[in-house]
Structures are given as structure tokens and as C-alpha cells.
Amino acid sequence: MRKGGLRFAGFDAQTVIGSAKRASTAHTQSMIILALRRCAAQSARTQPATGPAAGGRKTPSMASVVGRPFNASRHRWDNMRENRAFATLICFLVGCWCVRPRPWWQWAAIVTAFVLLQRRMVRGTFCRSARDLSGKLVVITGASSGIGAHTAITLATRHNATVVGSCRSQDVDEEKRKLVKLASGYGGEKAQAAVERLVTLYPLELTSWASIDDFCRKVRYYHLGTATETPEASQQDATRRGGIFALVNNAGAIQHTFKQTDQQEEYMTVANFVGPVRLTETLLPCLEPAAAEAVDDPAAVVAPTPSGRIINVTSGSHLTLTDPNVGALLPCPSGTAVTQVFNFMNRYVLSKLCNIYHTDYLAEKGYLAVSVNPGGVASGIFRSAMPNLSGWYPLLTCLVLKTSHEGAQTLVHCVTADDLVPGGLYTECKLRLHAKSPVACNSTSRQSAMVWAFEKMGHVKPLSLPEGPVKPK
């Protein structure tokens, strides 16, 4: 077999087809045709990959990733096939059932082995990338706690990236001290010094447009050069300083009781969806430009295209939403009766579904945007959603949920990887082609959700210089 061609036993395709036509018997003719088909299939498998994916695999296109619906059986099979600990656990339980141990020490050994295997299965895949991001700027919302904090610490200590994070508290110095203290588990004093030097925190409330604009002004002025009044000049500043290498929309909120924002909409929908959309649209001109391509005409002026990546954190709970009429679900009804029928989990799931819509919208516009499902993580969001299980957190963290450090691995992978597919949904540091629900792949629902979000966030005005000191603390 010759790579890239169609040859069988030293003959090309035309020779084989001619032999099949001149065959005297139907059996011989069918055998030659069968060999030809096998030859064609093998030739297709040996074609060189057209994308940057490692291992010679062909990178899926953006259109196939955005429009591919959820396949439950394929999704479960992918998880089982890639998780050897799961198969080991099943074999172990079957063996225990066959042996049926009697002494207490055998039961103790079985329970210990079960806990270890279950913990190995729950923790998921770790990011093994060692890419150096020195001089690269990464913006992370919600970087003071949870998976956002561990993502910021990992990028600063292991990849030498410059991280600008947001925190909800106005006491930035206290949040920075907590982050530096948390970094001690990543390498002691050396890691703490790296976080102290490379990580900067600013306050941000995603339900306040004034707070979002002030945060973006600080990012532009303090880290990308002087803020300007026009998007074109801002793009020039981003080009000169390198721009934003990655924007991670990680911050999320969960509210048990009904609460309205200044926009007269439900709090979680604005904080988890509309706020990140406005933040992203404001910082789009500051994304890192792509490398300049060779042009035949030296006098030609080629506008820089953004190559910075946008990462939206979603949730696997979006699979539970089956109503495609998302445009009618987003506006929250007003009145006193709304507090009696308010279901906070439904609103949270709806906002996470809209994060996927935002990713697909950006991917269709030509930006490198992906969604990340970190899995079940014992973070502040989970504690807020399940306050009745507070006494069971150690057991749940051990057997069912990931730690915040483990949940941040896919985020770190998407920041450092070179083979991201626009519009893809990543979990366990890998692209999942069958992990989106049918509602998430509905283009009509996506369009109605994005139209509603842009109506609520209003016009993004050019940013002026930030208020406060000339240099950040």
C-alpha cells in the first residue's frame, strides 16, 4: 500500500477496475472489487492529518463540532473506555462477589481497595502540558476561590503566565493573601513568590455594567498599555503589548431565592450568562493577534486577526434541559408570585446551557472559543447548591466529587493546548464530540438566547482611563 495513493499488488486503481470488468466469473469479479474497497479504506486511513492534532488524527471541523448532538451511549462508552480505573473497579467487585470473603480483614481490604479505585476514577485526567507561557496574559474571572484560583496558581507557578483575575470582594489585598497561602501546596515559598509576582486581582461584579467596564479598563490600561477611545486603537495597543492570550469566563453564581438585578432580570441568568457576554465583547479587541502571514505585495496592509482563546465554563447539568424554547425561558416573570414558583436549579442549568450558546456564537464569528465541563467539583457552587449535605462533604469529595485542583485541570489544558477546536466541548482534558445536548445544538435556540443577551447588556461603549492609582498594587 502506498500512502496517499490507491494501489493493490503493484497495480493502480484503473488496472484493478479493468481486471474486474474482464473477469470471467462473478466470484472473481466480486473478490477483486472487495479488495479494491479494502484498498480504498486503507488509503483513506493513511492520509495525513489536516489539522494540528497530535498523533496524525484529523482535527474535526468547527461546523461538525457545533452541530453534533448528544449521544448518550457513545458518551458513556468514551468515559468507560478512557477510564481504566472504572474497568478495574468493575472487575474487582465481580471478583469479590465470586470469592465472598468471610473474615473481617478481608472485608476491610475490600473496602480500602474500593475507596482507592473509586477515588482514582473520580479524580479524572491531569493536564501534562509543560508549555511555557512567559509574557502571555491570561484573564480569569472568579480567580480568588474554587477552580478559578487553582487555575490561576497552576498557570503562574507551572507555566509562568501573567494572570489577571477577578474577585467579588472589594478587599483585594485579603483575597491576594489567601491566594498566596493556597499556593504553598504547589511548591512552598517558590510557588508563593511566583503567585505574588505574576497574579493580580481586581474586584468584579458581573451583574453590574459599571463594575465590568471598570475591570476591563484596568486590564487594558495596566496590562496592555494606555486605554483608548476607539476599538481600532485598542487593537493596536493589544498588538504592541501582545494582547490577551486567554480569557477564561469561570466565575459563576447560584442563588436559592429569587433576586433581581439592576436590569430587572433574574440574578443567576445575568451573573452567569449576560455578564460574561458583556465582559467578552468589551475585551474582544484586546485579544492577542495572530502571527502575520506572508504577503506577496509588501505594500499591502493586512489587518491582524485575533488568535487569543476564549474559554467558557459550563456544566454537564445542561443535559437535563429539554425544552428548546430557550428564548421564552430566559426572561424572568415579574410579580410577587415568582418567589413561590422559583426553581434555582432550573435557572442555573439554563445559564450554563447559554454559556455553550455563547461559545458557539463566538466560534461562528471566527474566534477560538471553547466550552469546558470540569465535572462534579466540591467547590463553593456545589456547597451553595447543596447546603443540606454540608456534613457529607468529606465523604462526597473522596468518593463522588473532584477537588478544586482536579477540576481545574481541563481549564489549564485548554489554556495551554495548541490543537483546540473552535466550538468544542472539553472535559477530562479531551474534546467530546457527543457531549452536547440536542437543545445545545439547536441553532434557533442559540440565536434567540444571544439576541436576548445583547438586548439586555446594551451597547458596549469605548473605555476611558481607569480611576485610581497609575500602577496596580
Side-chain angles (χ1 to χ4, degrees), residues 290-426:
E293 299 180 357
V295 183
D296 296 335
D297 186 7
V301 179
V302 180
T305 57
S307 67
R309 57 197 66 191
I310 304 166
I311 304 169
N312 292 329
V313 178
T314 182
S315 171
S317 60
H318 82 277
L319 297 170
T320 61
L321 185 61
T322 58
D323 189 357
N325 194 11
V326 177
L329 298 176
L330 283 171
C332 196
S334 58
T336 57
V338 73
T339 58
Q340 302 175 1
V341 298
F342 178 72
N343 189 322
F344 74 97
M345 280 305 300
N346 288 346
R347 301 299 300 188
Y348 177 77
V349 169
L350 179 63
S351 66
K352 289 299 162 182
L353 172 67
C354 292
N355 292 146
I356 298 179
Y357 288 156
H358 184 209
T359 299
D360 295 345
Y361 165 79
L362 292 171
E364 290 184 348
K365 287 183 62 177
Y367 294 96
L368 180 55
V370 297
S371 300
V372 169
N373 175 20
V377 182
S379 60
I381 291 289
F382 180 82
R383 290 183 174 89
S384 300
M386 305 293 180
N388 298 330
L389 300 177
S390 58
W392 296 89
Y393 283 149
L395 181 62
L396 291 175
T397 305
C398 180
L399 297 179
V400 181
L401 301 175
K402 298 179 180 180
T403 64
S404 296
H405 171 67
E406 295 164 352
Q409 297 305 307
T410 306
L411 278 175
V412 176
H413 168 77
C414 289
V415 172
T416 58
D418 291 325
D419 56 351
L420 294 183
V421 178
L425 177 59
Y426 286 78

Side-chain angles (χ1 to χ4, degrees), residues 48-124:
T50 58
R57 296 185 300 273
K58 184 177 180 180
T59 303
S61 63
M62 184 271 294
S64 64
V65 171
V66 171
R68 185 170 302 195
F70 177 72
N71 188 323
S73 59
R74 180 64 181 271
H75 184 57
R76 286 194 295 266
W77 170 248
D78 288 344
N79 292 337
M80 292 169 59
R81 177 173 54 85
E82 295 174 1
N83 200 330
R84 299 177 181 178
F86 180 82
T88 306
L89 180 61
I90 296 299
C91 296
F92 175 77
L93 294 178
V94 171
C96 292
W97 175 259
C98 297
V99 175
R100 296 185 181 181
R102 299 289 181 178
W104 67 269
W105 61 269
Q106 292 184 1
W107 283 108
I110 288 175
V111 172
T112 303
F114 171 79
V115 171
L116 293 177
L117 287 174
Q118 178 70 14
R119 187 71 196 93
R120 174 62 184 84
M121 182 181 66
V122 168
R123 77 176 188 178

